[in-house]
Amino acid sequence: SRAKVFMLAKSPIFARSGDGFTQQDLEAGRLRYRLHRKAYSHVRERLTSTVGAQDCDTRVGHVSLLHVPSATNRTRCAATLDALQVAEGGRQAVLRSHLHLETAGITELVYNVTHGPHHGRLDVMDVGLVTVLRRATTYFSSRELLTERVFYVHDDSETRRDAFHFVALSSEEEDFQYVGVFHVDVLLKNDNTPVRAVFHIVSGGEKLLTGRDLRYSDADIDTQPSDIVYTRRGIPNGGIYKASDPTVPLFEFSQDDLDHNRVLFRHEGEEYGKVGLWITDGQFYANGILEVKASPPFVQVANNTGLVVQHGGAAMLTIANLSADTNLNIWDDKLVYEVLEGPHYGHLQLEHEPEALRQFTQLDLENALLTYHHEGGAFYNDEFHFRVGASDTTADGKFGIRVFPSSYWEPLIVATNRTLHVEESTSVAVTAASLKVMHPQIPATDITYIITEPPVFGYLEIEPVGDIHSDQTDTDDSRPNIVNVFEQALLNEGRLYYIQSTANKTHDQFVVDVTNGISWLRNLIVRFIIVPEWMYISNGELQVIEGGTITLPANLLPVLTEYYRGRVTEFRVLKLPKSGVLQLSREPGQQLQKFTTTQLKSGLLQYQHDGSETLEDQFVVIGLAGEKKSAPATVKIIVSPVNDEPPYIMNNTGMRMWEGALKIITNLHLAAVDKDTPPENLTFAVASVRSGYLATVSKPSISIQKFTQEQIDRKLIAFVHKDYNLPTARSVTYTVTSPPALGRLWLESSPPGNPQEAVNFTQRDVNNSLVYYEHTHPFFGLSTNDSLVFDVRADFAEPLLDQSMIIDISIVSGGLDQFLVMTPLEVDEGGIIKIYLNTTRVLEFLETQADVESPSLLMVLTSPLQHGELHVGDNNITSFTQAQMDAGEVEYHHDHSDTLQDDLQLSLLLEPGDIMLCNASLPIYITPINDQPFRLVTQAPHISVVQGQTKPITKSDLLTEDPDTQPEEITYFVITGPSQGRLTYRNSSTNESIMIVKFTQADINAGNVVYEHSGRLQPTTFYFRVWDGHFNPEYTVFNIHVLPVMLNVTAGAPIKLQQGSSVAVITQEHLISVTNVPIEEVHYNVSYLPRHGSIYVNNAAATEFTQVDLDNRRVIYMQTDMTTASDTFEVSAWVPGGGIPVMGIEVNVSVEPFMKIGNFSPIAGTKTRITLDVLDATPLAKLTNSNPNYQVLRRPRHGKIKKIIRSTGEKRTVRERDVIHFSHEEIKSGVIYYVVRRLPDQETDGADDSFPFLLAASIFQPALGELKFRVRPEHANDISPIPTVSAAHPPRNAGPRSPEGHEGGLTVASPNMSNDYVMIVSMVLGVVILAILVIVVVKCRSVHMGREETRTCKSDLSGMPPVPLPRPPDDLQATSPHPKRFAPPNTSPTPGTTPTPTAMLQCKVIPLEPVESVASSEPDLNSRYPYGVPDEPTEDWSSYDTSELAYPPRTTNPMLRRNQYWV
């Protein structure tokens, strides 16, 4: 018998799968079923296998297995499987109370979901229950169950139950598995409100109201038709009755009654009416309207879609294809269709009736009993005409039938679907050569591609018919059309393009469904490989032993750019290693400048270190893939040092320290160096130590035996002398051994006030000024000295013994002023007083302490008196003696000024010798005398105050002065108060005001007198008197001018919203107020609310605010419509109590783009790329994770914005399109250009240009921006174009080139020449050429006297070359980019003239044209005049007389311009 082989088609879930088995294996009992682990539950398994034998068809078979665990195992596992209850559309945590398995010895379980829930999913959250860790997970752990992180999420479907199957597994060591089903009960919500439908009736007739006329449905699965109940509210044109008994009206009925024809409507009254209905499903309620339209009987075709049938086949007609409607009360079998004509290429047939029919009913269509049979033939369209009737009412129609060949039902064939290569930021045509879906019998126009997933990093574009690929110009400024559908015919024509628009991507694709209208080819993927503009290679790293050699691994320089993987053939070394050699193994020591990929992969490349003590090295390479060069890559080499250098001592200086002290050892004392060893590994070992020990600074009491150089560098090691005592701190102590003889040494106590005689004191006492010397004994002479002897001691130091200090004592050392008694003097204003100083104690001190016999003192003025003089008799003095003062001869005379004090500054001198003793100051107080009248300084006191405002009266408004009277004593009395307003006193501390009729000048000076206006707009006054209390008072009037309220408010800068933000603060920069009232009194009302936002004050919507709110930044604008880039609102400003309000202040709001705008400097006549340096929306792109789009709102004046995309491939073409829409990625890809026109001649310094734009991103509002720039003239970079010389017309005599010439077709810089230099050269050259021309003309006239004036001039200079004519300077010549010929080469002579012989002067006539025409046309072949003369300017020939030239005289002499010459 044949061998039967079983192959596993589907592996078991819970068991290990094998490859296959035979029938013999089964019969021999060699097939066993074994579980992964010991099961503690029932395990149901289904094994699917295919059975095959030689020369026999294979069969699929299924084997069901059931494992029943032992009773012991079942009892060992305590399983909790309680159903989870979750609300419809909700989420609920799966707790241990719902799912828990517990058995001895099991520590951790993993629940693998073998069959997930059908109407929801399982999510695992993070520990914080904030972020979904695994969405729709297929496993979870018992620990995640324990921490309540496993959630079931319902999909909001109308299902009652759900479940998922799982197998719980332990580790293999614990040997446990449990298979179970976890059930979920869904608590349904009645969250679907009913939806309505409609009704028609014959006027005055009856008609059953059925479910086709009125139907409300409910998406909740438990809602039955009988649950939907209608309650009528009113019927204006009829009534609703019970169909079984039309005399019984119905006020309430259900959807089930409608569906079973139990409701009858009877029309009465108006033709049109609305029946109010109240519908409920038991939980939700809805209000409905049944529109009732009564009309004469009618029947109409309600649906007529036609039919698609296979050639020679058949297709059913249903009410989805054809149906009729009527307002008659008839059943579906009463709606009869009569076939009037056709079908011509087939027939209609009812089920179970073999004959073709000419009549059928609506019921036949509802029951799908009608079939159209096509009878073949070459015709692919058919139709039949019909008439549908109900009673005596009919309607006619035509039913179309489209017949397609059977091939349309055959599957489509993917003939070609190649992956296309496209270079970054270029385009590639998607043609039939790369994508072709076909069928031999289906035309390409019938094969349609429907894009289901568009490209991600580019877009598709259809080229309009007639475009030229090499120079496409599209003036359509609309956004590129999104291609959703295209046909195979379009691919055959090569008009579908993929435009790559995102940088640094390697792959892209789009997915299409392909159909011919009948058969479908789903999910066809069209792929693109993007050839990046840049190639990147990963940096590498090597590790080599010092002085060693290492072979470069094959994967050292992996290519990061996917496209170029496997394409790099060579590497070039840009930067060689400094501490080694990059070499081939067979050529050691030879430094490589380049190497191949093959050499790298073959292990032939080596790096050899030079043995130096360097720890790092590197070399830099670039990769080459054909002509493409990569970005540089750096290979870092880490050198492992070899300890082959001995350490050596650099510093060992020793150190000095205090006996018994601790001192830190630094690297200036001890330092060792080892080129191979870092400081932390360079160790000092203590061999022996004397008189102390080494310790760490942190633990100075513990000795150490070794330390490192790093510890020394960080100052962590110290030497401790053996007598060192940690707690003791050194101090310097002074001991007085011999005290001073003439005084005493004192030590101030702490706290001060109880000094003690100093015998012992420290340096700290001296530093704190606590030790002082007091002189106590008299001495003879003017000076003497004292001394003391002391010892100085400090810990661990030799004492300083018998140290002496000399103290100099002198009467000129100061201190005598304490013996001088200075009694202040008082004198009346203008009076005289005797000067007396009590110097008794000073004289006594000089006699007793200084041993001066009969001392004599001299008092000298050190500074002049301010308000008086010193007199002795009638003499003004500046010094006086003790004797004069004692005799009462010294007097102070006041100068009668209104002053209150003077000072007498004196120095006391000892005579003879004028020995300075001390300085003294004697105050003199003057008692004023009111002897001068007051004066009202303000002759016409007045103020100006704004209506309704207050104004303080200051001393600039009202001032009375009196040298003898204080401002507090100058009093104003109001005799007659103002007729409008009042005078008040304002307390500056409490800001309270009280009405006053009396005030002082001091009140005015302090700003406390305030006038408050109230009343009409007219001036007012108050009458007052002022008095100083001594002289006669003065009376006058105080005028008050009342000014009208002035308010001027203008809109300032627009309110700027940052793109992505919806809130902006409105400040005084946006509403600029100028007023003559306090600015805080200005109020604003929002008269026209913003259309796309709201105004908020203090976080509440508001329509009014104040200037204080603006100043305190409490007013904000909040954008609510995030689809606009601007907004506007109007406000009116007013001041309470007066003034005309300012109306119609328009405030603009604009959204600022979240981007960077840089400098842009295009040159006229060029194409300048707009790069990210100019417009960079990278911040917005990163924030929104999208590709922001620009829309140009106004085109620039001097050029166009174009998208210029070159094509991919060997045949390079360029696609240009004028655009006003482009994206950030397109700027990033470098395909957006500003193409500048040439500037007019008068724009020599360039021209300003700009274009505003709208920047939009996915989730933020659009924003308005503007790019402003200056177009530089063509000569901005000293660039001049190159003249083009045609091969057919070579120059007759090629002259010398310009200094920086026109060579090789390159645009090169031309020198600039100052205008003065050009003018001088032009004049000289003009004179020379004019002389030559005069000679030529005279010669011609002498030879050809008598000929007509129109004869062509000749020259008998037969042997000479043509005389060169001057030409304009370079800076006047045209700069056209294309050649332009003004006349054909073989132009025939003008009639009436003689052809020019070769020996004659040839005069070429060039038409006078404006420069604009030259600049805008093809370039001039003769842009350089073809004669061998230098390019020098010439003067204007229009100033010369042309009467002697053999040419008709000119009536006008226009100035010659570029390429224009007199002939």
Side-chain angles (χ1 to χ4, degrees):
S1 63
R2 298 183 180 89
K4 297 178 183 177
V5 179
F6 295 82
M7 301 297 295
L8 287 180
K10 184 177 180 182
S11 303
I13 297 176
F14 311 114
R16 303 182 188 275
S17 60
D19 293 331
F21 53 92
T22 64
Q23 183 66 35
Q24 292 179 347
D25 295 332
L26 288 173
E27 294 174 354
R30 290 194 290 266
L31 189 62
R32 294 286 189 272
Y33 173 76
R34 180 172 61 84
L35 295 171
H36 287 310
R37 293 177 179 84
K38 182 186 294 184
Y40 288 77
S41 65
H42 288 71
V43 179
R44 289 179 174 81
E45 193 78 273
R46 183 181 175 88
L47 185 145
T48 303
S49 61
T50 57
V51 186
Q54 189 175 1
D55 299 332
C56 295
D57 296 334
T58 59
R59 296 288 184 88
V60 178
H62 304 282
V63 177
S64 295
L65 304 172
L66 174 62
H67 168 76
V68 179
S70 64
T72 304
N73 286 345
R74 286 202 303 271
T75 57
R76 286 180 180 176
C77 179
T80 302
L81 286 172
D82 290 341
L84 177 70
Q85 290 189 343
V86 61
E88 176 186 339
R91 63 195 293 266
Q92 186 67 39
V94 181
L95 307 177
R96 292 185 64 188
S97 58
H98 303 118
L99 175 59
H100 181 60
L101 301 176
E102 186 174 357
T103 187
I106 302 301
T107 58
E108 183 79 16
L109 289 177
V110 176
Y111 294 81
N112 294 283
V113 181
T114 56
H115 297 286
H118 296 287
H119 306 293
R121 68 176 188 273
L122 291 173
D123 289 349
V124 176
M125 307 293 291
D126 63 357
V127 177
L129 299 180
V130 176
T131 306
V132 177
L133 197 63
R134 296 192 304 277
R135 182 184 177 90
T137 185
T138 57
Y139 70 94
F140 54 89
S141 67
S142 57
R143 187 176 300 275
E144 291 168 341
L145 270 178
L146 180 64
T147 54
E148 301 180 4
R149 293 161 50 197
V150 181
F151 284 80
Y152 171 84
V153 183
H154 189 247
D155 62 2
D156 205 17
S157 61
E158 304 299 329
T159 51
R160 280 188 172 275
R161 295 176 181 83
D162 202 358
F164 64 87
H165 296 245
F166 67 89
V167 54
L169 298 176
S170 67
S171 63
E172 293 187 2
E173 294 78 9
E174 294 177 344
D175 194 17
F176 175 89
Q177 73 173 345
Y178 188 97
V179 179
V181 180
F182 186 80
H183 295 279
V184 179
D185 292 337
V186 181
L187 304 177
L188 294 178
K189 293 180 182 179
N190 197 340
D191 53 356
N192 293 286
T193 57
V195 182
R196 60 164 286 199
V198 270
F199 185 71
H200 285 281
I201 191 171
V202 177
S203 298
E206 297 178 347
K207 184 181 179 183
L208 287 175
L209 187 62
T210 68
R212 283 175 296 183
D213 305 312
L214 178 62
R215 176 176 297 279
Y216 275 70
S217 60
D218 193 334
D220 290 318
I221 59 172
D222 290 343
T223 303
Q224 303 298 324
S226 58
D227 296 332
I228 300 177
V229 178
Y230 298 83
T231 302
R232 73 180 201 182
R233 293 186 176 181
I235 305 176
N237 59 346
I240 298 177
Y241 300 91
K242 195 173 183 179
S244 59
D245 186 357
T247 62
V248 179
L250 287 179
F251 296 94
E252 187 176 276
F253 51 91
S254 67
Q255 188 66 49
D256 187 65
D257 296 332
L258 293 172
D259 294 341
H260 291 85
N261 301 329
R262 302 187 190 116
V263 182
L264 179 70
F265 187 92
R266 182 181 302 151
H267 177 258
E268 296 175 1
E270 297 292 335
E271 292 185 353
Y272 178 78
K274 293 183 178 179
V275 180
L277 297 173
W278 190 51
I279 309 101
T280 179
D281 57 2
Q283 182 175 357
F284 289 92
Y285 299 89
N287 292 317
I289 294 176
L290 175 65
E291 296 183 11
V292 179
K293 292 183 180 180
S295 61
F298 72 84
V299 64
Q300 61 185 8
V301 178
N303 191 25
N304 186 0
T305 64
L307 188 67
V308 175
V309 63
Q310 183 175 335
H311 187 273
M316 285 189 299
L317 277 75
T318 66
I319 57 172
N321 307 113
L322 180 63
S323 64
D325 191 15
T326 180
N327 59 355
L328 296 169
N329 188 22
I330 62 174
W331 300 97
D332 294 334
D333 58 349
K334 302 298 183 181
L335 276 173
V336 180
Y337 294 81
E338 180 183 357
V339 180
L340 303 178
E341 180 186 349
H344 304 285
Y345 311 108
H347 63 273
L348 297 171
Q349 182 178 329
L350 285 174
E351 188 176 344
H352 309 304
E353 294 185 10
E355 299 295 331
L357 56 82
R358 309 299 296 176
Q359 183 176 302
F360 55 91
T361 67
Q362 180 91 359
L363 187 62
D364 296 332
L365 293 172
E366 288 185 357
N367 295 329
L369 302 177
L370 183 62
T371 306
Y372 169 81
H373 293 265
H374 186 252
E375 297 174 352
F379 297 96
Y380 294 105
N381 290 317
D382 203 353
E383 65 183 17
F384 65 87
H385 295 259
F386 63 89
R387 175 175 295 155
V388 57
S391 297
D392 298 332
T393 305
T394 61
D396 293 348
K398 181 177 71 173
F399 188 82
I401 301 170
R402 296 189 64 190
V403 182
F404 288 93
S406 59
S407 58
Y408 276 72
W409 276 261
E410 296 176 1
L412 297 173
I413 302 170
V414 181
T416 308
N417 185 12
R418 291 194 302 107
T419 300
L420 287 172
H421 289 71
V422 57
E423 297 178 21
E424 187 176 292
S425 303
T426 66
S427 64
V428 64
V430 184
T431 65
S434 57
L435 177 60
K436 185 175 182 180
V437 175
M438 51 83 67
H439 190 282
Q441 299 179 8
I442 301 176
T445 54
D446 285 353
I447 298 179
T448 303
Y449 295 79
I450 301 172
I451 298 177
T452 58
E453 295 180 19
V456 179
F457 307 119
Y459 57 91
L460 296 175
E461 189 174 88
I462 296 177
E463 183 182 77
V465 179
D467 278 4
I468 302 174
H469 288 248
S470 60
D471 190 14
Q472 180 181 351
T473 301
D474 189 354
T475 59
D476 182 11
D477 289 324
S478 62
R479 194 182 301 272
N481 293 327
I482 299 176
V483 179
N484 293 320
V485 178
F486 57 90
E487 299 173 350
Q488 181 64 48
L490 192 73
L491 300 179
N492 297 346
E493 296 171 4
R495 291 171 44 215
L496 180 67
Y497 283 85
Y498 168 77
I499 313 297
Q500 204 283 322
S501 61
T502 306
N504 298 326
K505 303 298 178 184
T506 57
H507 290 88
D508 202 359
Q509 67 179 37
F510 64 90
V511 182
V512 292
D513 289 343
V514 191
T515 182
N516 57 8
I518 298 173
S519 61
W520 289 79
L521 181 63
R522 303 282 184 181
N523 298 327
L524 182 65
I525 301 176
V526 182
R527 293 182 171 87
F528 300 92
I529 292 180
I530 302 171
V531 182
E533 184 177 358
W534 297 99
M535 178 171 61
Y536 297 97
I537 296 176
S538 175
N539 296 329
E541 185 176 297
L542 293 173
Q543 290 190 351
V544 63
I545 299 176
E546 177 186 325
T549 302
I550 187 172
T551 300
L552 273 61
N555 60 349
L556 178 65
L557 297 168
V559 179
L560 299 178
T561 309
E562 187 173 352
Y563 173 80
Y564 290 105
R565 291 175 185 168
R567 301 173 186 265
V568 176
T569 58
E570 186 180 64
F571 294 92
R572 292 184 183 175
V573 184
L574 295 183
K575 183 179 179 182
L576 295 171
K578 295 181 179 180
S579 305
V581 178
L582 190 63
Q583 62 187 15
L584 287 174
S585 58
R586 57 175 178 269
E587 298 177 1
Q590 298 294 322
Q591 189 76 264
L592 289 179
Q593 301 289 338
K594 62 181 180 179
F595 55 89
T596 65
T597 305
T598 303
Q599 291 172 331
L600 178 64
K601 292 183 177 179
S602 301
L604 301 177
L605 295 177
Q606 294 178 338
Y607 170 82
Q608 182 176 357
H609 189 252
D610 60 5
S612 61
E613 301 298 329
T614 55
L615 299 180
E616 287 186 357
D617 199 2
Q618 68 177 27
F619 61 91
V620 181
V621 300
I622 60 170
L624 299 179
E627 297 181 356
K628 175 66 70 174
K629 295 181 180 179
S630 73
T634 302
V635 178
K636 183 179 180 182
I637 302 166
I638 299 176
V639 182
S640 300
V642 176
N643 197 355
D644 55 357
E645 295 284 343
Y648 59 93
I649 302 296
M650 288 192 65
N651 289 332
N652 186 10
T653 63
M655 63 182 184
R656 298 172 63 88
M657 60 184 297
W658 290 96
E659 180 181 355
L662 175 149
K663 188 167 185 180
I664 296 175
I665 303 173
T666 69
N667 52 18
L668 298 178
H669 303 127
L670 179 62
V673 176
D674 188 344
K675 294 181 179 180
D676 298 322
T677 307
E680 60 268 19
N681 294 334
L682 197 58
T683 304
F684 293 85
V686 180
S688 63
V689 61
R690 290 182 298 172
S691 303
Y693 60 90
L694 290 166
T696 60
V697 174
S698 59
K699 297 179 179 180
S701 60
I702 301 175
S703 65
I704 59 174
Q705 299 301 316
K706 61 180 179 179
F707 54 90
T708 65
Q709 182 65 48
E710 182 191 29
Q711 290 176 305
I712 293 179
D713 295 341
R714 294 172 58 190
K715 300 180 180 180
L716 301 178
I717 303 301
F719 180 81
V720 183
H721 191 259
K722 64 180 179 180
D723 294 330
Y724 177 71
N725 189 4
L726 277 176
T728 304
R730 287 193 301 271
S731 63
V732 178
T733 303
Y734 298 87
T735 302
V736 179
T737 58
S738 177
L742 303 179
R744 285 181 296 184
L745 200 64
W746 294 96
L747 176 64
E748 184 62 76
S749 62
S750 178
N754 187 23
Q756 297 178 355
E757 189 171 355
V759 177
N760 296 295
F761 55 92
T762 65
Q763 183 66 45
R764 179 175 295 179
D765 296 332
V766 176
N767 296 342
N768 294 333
S769 301
L770 299 179
V771 181
Y772 60 92
Y773 170 84
E774 179 186 10
H775 177 241
T776 58
H777 291 71
F779 61 92
F780 300 95
L782 298 179
S783 64
T784 185
N785 59 63
D786 199 355
S787 65
L788 61 96
V789 179
F790 57 89
D791 296 339
V792 184
R793 287 182 172 82
D795 294 337
F796 314 114
E798 294 290 339
L800 300 175
L801 303 177
D802 298 329
Q803 304 296 311
S804 64
M805 173 184 288
I806 305 299
I807 302 172
D808 291 328
I809 303 171
S810 171
I811 63 172
V812 301
S813 300
L816 291 182
D817 53 350
Q818 62 181 313
F819 302 114
L820 190 63
V821 179
M822 306 290 290
T823 303
L825 303 180
E826 292 186 2
V827 62
D828 290 336
E829 177 183 327
I832 300 173
I833 191 172
K834 297 182 182 300
I835 300 298
Y836 178 73
L837 300 177
N838 188 354
T839 60
T840 304
R841 295 185 60 190
V842 175
L843 296 174
E844 181 182 349
F845 178 85
L846 293 175
E847 291 177 351
T848 59
Q849 301 293 329
D851 196 24
V852 178
E853 295 182 1
S854 302
S856 177
L857 299 179
L858 177 67
M859 277 67 75
V860 180
L861 283 177
T862 58
S863 61
L865 290 166
Q866 299 296 319
H867 307 293
E869 296 175 347
L870 286 181
H871 283 260
V872 174
D874 295 332
N875 298 321
N876 185 6
I877 62 172
T878 58
S879 63
F880 55 91
T881 65
Q882 179 72 36
Q884 290 174 321
M885 185 178 65
D886 291 342
E889 299 176 356
V890 182
E891 297 177 341
Y892 170 79
H893 291 225
H894 186 251
D895 61 3
H896 219 292
S897 62
D898 292 313
T899 52
L900 300 178
Q901 185 176 346
D902 205 351
D903 287 310
L904 183 63
Q905 305 289 338
L906 298 171
S907 291
L908 270 69
L909 305 179
L910 178 65
E911 292 186 326
D914 293 340
I915 299 172
M916 176 71 181
L917 297 179
C918 64
N919 291 320
S921 176
L922 179 64
I924 303 173
Y925 297 107
I926 294 98
T927 303
I929 298 175
N930 194 351
D931 56 353
Q932 297 186 38
F934 65 89
R935 183 174 63 92
L936 182 61
V937 178
T938 310
Q939 295 300 320
H942 70 279
I943 61 170
S944 296
V945 61
V946 179
Q947 182 182 9
Q949 300 298 313
T950 62
K951 178 73 180 290
I953 299 175
T954 65
K955 64 180 181 179
S956 61
D957 305 318
L958 182 59
L959 176 61
T960 300
E961 291 182 344
D962 188 349
D964 301 324
T965 306
Q966 297 297 322
E968 292 83 359
E969 298 177 3
I970 301 175
T971 308
Y972 297 86
F973 298 90
V974 180
I975 300 173
T976 303
S979 60
Q980 299 183 83
R982 62 175 187 164
L983 283 174
T984 63
Y985 178 86
R986 182 173 59 191
N987 191 323
S988 58
S989 59
T990 62
N991 206 27
E992 295 179 353
S993 298
I994 58 174
M995 187 174 176
I996 58 173
V997 293
K998 185 177 75 171
F999 52 91
T1000 66
Q1001 185 65 47
D1003 296 332
I1004 294 177
N1005 297 345
N1008 294 331
V1009 180
V1010 178
Y1011 170 72
E1012 297 179 357
H1013 179 263
S1014 61
R1016 292 174 295 176
L1017 183 64
Q1018 64 182 26
T1020 186
T1021 61
F1022 67 87
Y1023 188 57
F1024 70 93
R1025 69 182 175 94
V1026 58
W1027 189 40
D1028 65 348
H1030 184 72
F1031 293 94
N1032 293 330
E1034 187 172 343
Y1035 297 83
T1036 190
V1037 174
F1038 193 98
N1039 293 293
I1040 301 173
H1041 304 285
V1042 181
L1043 304 175
V1045 175
M1046 186 274 294
L1047 177 62
N1048 184 19
V1049 181
T1050 58
I1055 300 171
K1056 297 294 186 181
L1057 267 174
Q1058 180 66 61
Q1059 191 173 18
S1061 173
S1062 60
V1063 175
V1065 179
I1066 305 175
T1067 66
Q1068 61 269 30
E1069 297 178 358
H1070 307 122
L1071 287 170
I1072 303 172
S1073 301
V1074 178
T1075 182
N1076 56 1
V1077 302
I1079 193 69
E1080 58 269 11
E1081 296 188 16
V1082 179
H1083 287 63
Y1084 298 90
N1085 287 340
V1086 182
S1087 53
Y1088 181 80
L1089 293 173
R1091 295 181 57 188
H1092 310 294
S1094 301
I1095 304 297
Y1096 283 80
V1097 178
N1098 290 328
N1099 299 323
T1103 57
E1104 64 178 32
F1105 51 90
T1106 66
Q1107 185 68 37
V1108 177
D1109 295 329
L1110 286 179
D1111 296 341
N1112 293 329
R1113 303 175 66 87
R1114 293 196 291 257
V1115 186
I1116 63 173
Y1117 167 86
M1118 178 178 290
Q1119 186 177 6
T1120 55
D1121 181 4
M1122 303 297 284
T1123 63
T1124 63
S1126 61
D1127 201 355
T1128 184
F1129 61 92
E1130 286 187 2
V1131 298
S1132 59
W1134 56 283
V1135 176
I1140 301 174
V1142 182
M1143 309 296 292
I1145 307 167
E1146 185 175 292
V1147 183
N1148 294 317
V1149 182
S1150 63
V1151 182
E1152 284 188 324
F1154 188 41
M1155 62 174 299
K1156 299 176 184 177
I1157 300 178
N1159 296 324
F1160 187 47
S1161 299
I1163 300 177
T1166 63
K1167 298 177 180 178
T1168 306
R1169 180 180 293 174
I1170 300 177
T1171 65
L1172 290 180
D1173 294 331
V1174 180
L1175 295 176
D1176 187 4
T1178 302
L1180 183 62
K1182 290 182 178 179
L1183 190 61
T1184 61
N1185 194 25
S1186 65
N1187 180 19
N1189 290 298
Y1190 296 85
Q1191 178 185 352
V1192 179
L1193 303 179
R1194 176 180 51 78
R1195 294 179 177 143
R1197 293 188 302 112
H1198 298 291
K1200 297 180 179 180
I1201 300 175
K1202 289 192 173 186
K1203 183 190 297 183
I1204 303 177
I1205 302 175
R1206 62 182 179 85
S1207 64
T1208 297
E1210 297 181 358
K1211 185 180 179 181
R1212 301 282 179 157
T1213 59
V1214 174
R1215 297 166 54 83
E1216 290 191 15
R1217 182 191 299 276
D1218 296 353
V1219 294
I1220 62 171
H1221 294 91
F1222 52 89
S1223 69
H1224 167 69
E1225 288 293 339
E1226 288 174 333
I1227 290 181
K1228 192 175 178 181
S1229 301
V1231 298
I1232 305 300
Y1233 289 79
Y1234 175 59
V1235 181
V1236 198
R1237 293 189 296 270
R1238 295 192 173 184
L1239 297 177
D1241 289 343
Q1242 59 269 25
E1243 301 284 356
T1244 56
D1245 295 331
D1248 291 327
D1249 205 351
S1250 66
F1251 63 87
F1253 59 84
L1254 191 73
L1255 178 64
S1258 57
I1259 60 176
F1260 290 160
Q1261 74 270 51
L1264 292 171
E1266 185 173 10
L1267 177 62
K1268 298 180 180 180
F1269 52 91
R1270 186 167 184 84
V1271 178
R1272 295 186 291 167
E1274 293 175 80
H1275 54 77
N1277 290 335
D1278 295 332
I1279 300 298
S1280 61
I1282 310 140
T1284 306
V1285 179
S1286 173
H1289 305 281
R1292 292 190 60 200
N1293 194 1
R1297 295 188 178 101
S1298 298
E1300 297 184 21
H1302 313 270
E1303 307 179 44
L1306 298 176
T1307 301
V1308 294
S1310 60
N1312 292 326
M1313 189 178 295
S1314 68
N1315 294 333
D1316 294 339
Y1317 180 75
V1318 171
M1319 184 177 297
I1320 294 172
V1321 174
S1322 301
M1323 293 174 63
V1324 173
L1325 187 60
V1327 172
V1328 173
I1329 294 175
L1330 179 61
I1332 296 174
L1333 288 177
V1334 170
I1335 295 172
V1336 172
V1337 171
V1338 171
K1339 185 67 175 178
C1340 290
R1341 290 175 60 85
S1342 64
V1343 174
H1344 303 284
M1345 188 66 66
R1347 296 188 180 184
E1348 296 95 357
E1349 290 184 355
T1350 57
R1351 179 175 301 178
T1352 306
C1353 64
K1354 300 181 181 180
S1355 173
D1356 54 1
L1357 304 174
S1358 57
M1360 298 179 63
V1363 179
L1365 292 179
R1367 66 174 185 183
D1370 290 346
D1371 58 355
L1372 294 180
Q1373 293 190 358
T1375 56
S1376 303
H1378 304 292
K1380 176 178 179 180
R1381 298 176 177 83
F1382 289 102
N1386 54 353
T1387 304
S1388 58
T1390 306
T1393 61
T1394 305
T1396 305
T1398 57
M1400 295 182 180
L1401 177 64
Q1402 297 185 1
C1403 304
K1404 183 173 182 180
V1405 181
I1406 301 176
L1408 296 176
E1409 295 184 357
V1411 172
E1412 287 81 356
S1413 64
V1414 177
S1416 60
S1417 62
E1418 302 286 4
D1420 180 13
L1421 287 177
N1422 301 297
S1423 60
R1424 299 283 183 178
Y1425 200 81
Y1427 294 97
V1429 294
D1431 294 346
E1432 296 177 354
T1434 184
E1435 60 188 355
D1436 185 5
W1437 283 22
S1438 62
S1439 61
Y1440 291 102
D1441 186 5
T1442 59
S1443 60
E1444 297 185 4
L1445 298 178
Y1447 294 93
R1450 299 181 185 272
T1451 58
T1452 59
N1453 295 319
M1455 181 177 289
L1456 293 179
R1457 302 185 70 181
R1458 175 86 173 175
N1459 293 333
Q1460 300 174 351
Y1461 306 94
W1462 287 116
V1463 295

